Amino acid sequence: MRFWPLLWGNLKRKKARTAFTLLAIVVAFLLFAYLAAIRVAFAGGVEVAGADRLIVTHKTSIILPLPQSYEKRIAGLDGVELVTHATWFGGIYQQPDRNFQTVLQIPVEPERYLALYPEFLLPPAQRAAWLADREGVVVGRRTAERYGWRIGDRLPIQATIWKKKDGSGIWEFNLVGIYDGAEPGTDTTQFLIRYDYFDEARWWGQGLVGWYVLRIADPRQAAAIASAIDAEFANSPYETKTTTEKALAQTFADQVGDIGAILQAILAAVFFTLLLVTGNTMAQAVRERTAELAVLKTLGFSNGRVVALVLAEACLLTAVGGIAGLGLGLLLVGRGDPTGGLLAAFYVPPRQLVAGIGFVLLLGLASGLLPAVRALRLRIVDALRRS
C-alpha cells in the first residue's frame, strides 16, 4: 500500500492523456455491459428455459394446431409428470402499426400452466381472482409497466385470427393479476388468457390447441421421452415434433442470426483498439520516466519490483476505468430495455459481470507487459546517460 501515492502520482503526471485513456476504457466496458444485456434479450429466454420441460408442436410447423385430445395420451406416457397446452392468440392492443404482436397473448389452462412455470410469481389472491373470472387475464410485470396497466382495468384486444362467434373481432378482458419473475431472465411479457373462455367464445377451431408443454421426471431421459411422444402420433393427421424448451428457444434466437458471434466480433474489435490505446499510454509514461526508473534501481529496487510497479500502474488505470464503465452499464441496463418493455429479458448476467472484471485485469496486464519488459531491461548507466 505504501506505493499507492507513487502510482497515483504517475497517473496524474499527464492529466489530459490519463483522462482520455480512462474515458476510452469507460466507454468500452459500458459497451460490454450493454452488449451482454442485448445478447440475453435476443437469446429469448434460452438461459432460463427449464431443463425438465419439453415442447410438443405440429411436425410441419408450430403455427399448425394440435387436437386437445392429445393431452391425456401424452400424460399417460412413462416419464411425464405434468402436461398442459397453450395457443397463439395473435391480437392487437391499441394501434396496429405500433403494437402488432408486441403483446404475447396465450390462452392457457391457469392452474396447470402456473404449475409448469413456477418461476411465474403470482400472489394467491390474484390467482384466485383469475380462477373465478372467465374473462380474467394475468399479464407479466414488464408488459403491465409498458402500457401502464393496473389490476381492474378492462383491456380490449383486436383479434387478427380468432374472431368471436358473434362475428366481433374485439375481445375484452379483465386484468385480475400481474406476475413477476423469480429470476432476472424470466419472461414477464406474457398476456395469459383462460383457454376455457377462449375455446367457448371463438368462432371456429374448438378443441384445437397450439402446442403442449410438459414436465418430465428425469431430464436425462428427454430424448427418449420425446421420441416416444412422436412415435405415439406417427402416421396420424396431426403428427408431432417434440423438443426441449431450451432447444426450441435457441431455434427462435438463431432465426435472427448468430447474435453471440456478432457481439463477440464487435467486442474483439473494441478491446483490440482499447489495448492499443492503453498500451500506448503506458509506453509513453514509462519512456518519460526512464531516468526515474533508473534512480529507483539505484536506490535498491529490484528488477522484479520495478516491473511490478509498471504492471500495477497499468492495472490501476484499467481498473478505475473498467469498474466505472461496468458500474455505469449496470445502472443504465437496470433502468430498462430501450424498447420500453418489448424485450422479454434485458439484464447483465452475473457470469458476464465476472468476465468483465476478468477483462479489466487482463487488459491491465496486457497493456503494461511491453513497458514492463522495457523497464526490466533498463540499464542504470544507459538511462542516466540518456537523461
Side-chain angles (χ1 to χ4, degrees):
M1 295 297 293
R2 58 180 176 171
F3 296 114
W4 283 115
L6 178 61
L7 297 177
W8 278 114
N10 291 334
L11 290 178
K12 293 189 295 183
R13 184 186 299 267
K14 297 289 185 179
K15 295 181 180 179
R17 182 176 64 197
T18 300
F20 281 114
T21 303
L22 281 174
L23 180 60
I25 298 173
V26 169
V27 171
F29 282 94
L30 169 62
L31 180 64
F32 175 85
Y34 233 83
L35 290 180
I38 292 174
R39 183 174 183 177
V40 169
F42 277 97
V46 174
E47 298 300 327
V48 296
D52 60 345
R53 287 195 293 256
L54 301 183
I55 306 295
V56 182
T57 65
H58 195 286
K59 185 177 181 179
T60 303
S61 172
I62 193 174
I63 66 173
L64 297 178
L66 294 171
Q68 188 180 3
S69 59
Y70 277 17
E71 183 170 347
K72 291 184 179 180
R73 295 172 64 180
I74 295 174
L77 296 175
D78 292 338
V80 176
E81 289 189 334
L82 183 63
V83 60
T84 189
H85 57 74
T87 305
W88 175 253
F89 186 83
I92 299 171
Y93 176 70
Q94 291 183 339
Q95 303 177 31
D97 59 333
R98 295 179 56 188
N99 298 315
F100 178 63
Q101 295 185 346
T102 58
V103 181
L104 180 60
Q105 306 117 1
I106 307 177
V108 299
E109 299 174 298
E111 292 183 291
R112 293 194 177 195
Y113 195 81
L114 292 178
L116 271 165
Y117 289 92
E119 63 267 31
F120 290 0
L121 305 180
L122 183 67
Q126 296 178 18
R127 179 192 294 256
W130 193 23
L131 296 176
D133 186 354
R134 288 169 57 82
E135 295 184 2
V137 295
V138 169
V139 304
R141 178 69 61 183
R142 189 179 293 269
T143 294
E145 292 178 348
R146 181 186 182 199
Y147 293 106
W149 292 341
R150 298 291 183 269
I151 292 179
D153 288 351
R154 184 76 170 170
L155 306 178
I157 301 294
Q158 179 182 341
T160 58
I161 304 173
W162 306 107
K163 290 190 176 182
K164 303 175 73 173
K165 288 181 178 179
D166 60 7
S168 171
I170 302 298
W171 294 67
E172 293 188 347
F173 302 99
N174 302 315
L175 180 55
V176 298
I178 299 175
Y179 73 86
D180 293 290
E183 303 176 35
T186 302
D187 182 3
T188 56
T189 64
Q190 296 186 17
F191 185 105
L192 303 178
I193 304 167
R194 285 185 51 160
Y195 177 81
D196 54 356
Y197 168 66
F198 162 74
D199 193 47
E200 180 181 323
R202 60 178 164 173
W203 182 28
W204 64 278
Q206 278 72 20
L208 296 177
V209 301
W211 62 91
Y212 287 95
V213 185
L214 57 128
R215 178 186 297 140
I216 57 178
D218 185 359
R220 294 173 298 181
Q221 300 297 320
I225 295 174
S227 298
I229 294 172
D230 293 340
E232 176 73 15
F233 305 110
N235 301 318
S236 71
Y238 299 92
E239 292 188 292
T240 62
K241 179 181 179 181
T242 306
T243 185
T244 62
E245 186 180 59
K246 186 168 186 177
L248 184 63
Q250 186 65 60
T251 299
F252 282 111
D254 291 343
Q255 289 181 357
V256 295
D258 191 345
I259 297 299
I262 295 173
L263 297 185
Q264 287 178 0
I266 294 174
L267 287 175
V270 170
F271 279 104
F272 178 73
T273 305
L274 183 62
L275 177 60
L276 296 180
V277 172
T278 310
N280 180 66
T281 297
M282 288 304 305
Q284 289 183 353
V286 170
R287 191 180 304 114
E288 292 168 355
R289 301 202 310 274
T290 300
E292 295 178 15
L293 294 176
V295 171
L296 289 177
K297 288 189 174 185
T298 303
L299 294 176
F301 277 67
S302 65
N303 285 333
R305 180 168 292 184
V306 172
V307 169
L309 284 175
V310 174
L311 291 177
E313 182 179 337
C315 289
L316 178 61
L317 178 66
T318 58
V320 172
I323 298 301
L326 289 174
L328 183 59
L330 288 174
L331 180 63
L332 293 178
V333 169
R335 296 179 61 183
D337 69 82
T339 65
L342 176 59
L343 301 177
F346 191 74
Y347 70 101
V348 180
R351 70 173 183 281
Q352 291 295 325
L353 186 60
V354 173
I357 296 174
F359 282 136
V360 169
L361 178 60
L362 182 61
L363 178 64
L365 294 175
S367 61
L369 182 60
L370 291 180
V373 171
R374 178 185 177 88
L376 174 66
R377 295 177 177 177
L378 182 67
R379 296 178 58 187
I380 298 175
V381 174
D382 294 339
L384 293 178
R385 182 186 302 115
R386 202 177 307 162
S387 63

